[in-house]
């Protein structure tokens, strides 16, 4: 590890390009699972809610995720990649945003509700016959 740059006494730096190292448990307050009801699916699409009031309870990382969602709907996996945060951290932060009413999750269709594969094959074969 490199020593801290001037003015950052006490901050541990990984290297000059990475900047200060912040542990994941610091960002999530020690939580490893979202507090919201249900689990945050990796392919759930996060959409900002209209008229949600930003409170003082939102950290810099919460606001960064909200900004990314405002640019367009993104899946949980895409948000983790765009925010350059660990997936577990993003899931906890998204749980906070869902609970606070800042985001809503559009979940994928459960496999039991998907059309029958045999029916889809029959449709494809019928289209090919045309």
């Amino acid at each position: 590890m490199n020593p801290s740059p001037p003015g950052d006494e006490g901050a541990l730096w990984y290297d000059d390009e990475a900047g200060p190292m912040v542990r994941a448990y610091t960002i999530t307050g020690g939580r490893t699972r979202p507090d919201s009801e249900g689990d945050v699916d990796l392919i759930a699409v996060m959409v900002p809610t209209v008229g949600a009031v930003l409170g003082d309870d939102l950290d810099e990382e919460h606001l960064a995720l909200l900004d990314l969602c405002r640019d367009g709907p993104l899946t949980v996996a895409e948000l983790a990649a765009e925010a350059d945060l660990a997936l577990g951290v993003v899931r906890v932060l998204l749980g906070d945003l869902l609970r606070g009413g800042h985001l809503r999750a559009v979940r994928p269709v459960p496999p039991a509700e998907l059309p029958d594969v045999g029916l889809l094959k029959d449709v494809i074969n019928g289209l090919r016959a045309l």
Side-chain angles (χ1 to χ4, degrees):
M1 289 199 194
N2 293 340
S4 300
D8 280 339
E9 287 76 22
L12 296 177
W13 283 65
Y14 184 70
D15 62 26
D16 291 334
E17 291 180 16
M21 182 174 21
V22 178
R23 303 268 185 221
Y25 62 82
T26 304
I27 296 172
T28 62
R31 296 172 294 150
T32 58
R33 297 180 191 265
D35 291 338
S36 65
E37 64 284 338
D39 199 16
V40 180
D41 294 329
L42 294 179
I43 57 175
V45 177
M46 295 295 150
V47 180
T49 56
V50 179
V53 179
L54 298 179
D56 293 337
D57 59 334
L58 299 179
D59 295 330
E60 179 181 327
E61 290 81 12
H62 288 103
L63 297 174
L65 291 175
L66 278 175
D67 285 341
L68 287 171
C69 290
R70 286 192 183 109
D71 292 340
L74 293 172
T75 65
V76 174
E78 291 170 327
L79 281 168
E82 290 290 325
D84 197 27
L85 291 171
L87 187 57
V89 171
V90 170
R91 291 173 81 176
V92 171
L93 296 175
L94 289 176
D96 296 342
L97 293 171
L98 289 167
R99 190 181 66 249
H102 301 288
L103 292 176
R104 65 181 175 88
V106 179
R107 301 202 191 306
V109 178
E113 294 180 17
L114 292 174
D116 181 37
V117 175
L119 175 65
L120 293 176
K121 287 181 180 179
D122 290 342
V123 170
I124 290 173
N125 291 334
L127 291 172
R128 287 183 182 151
L130 294 176

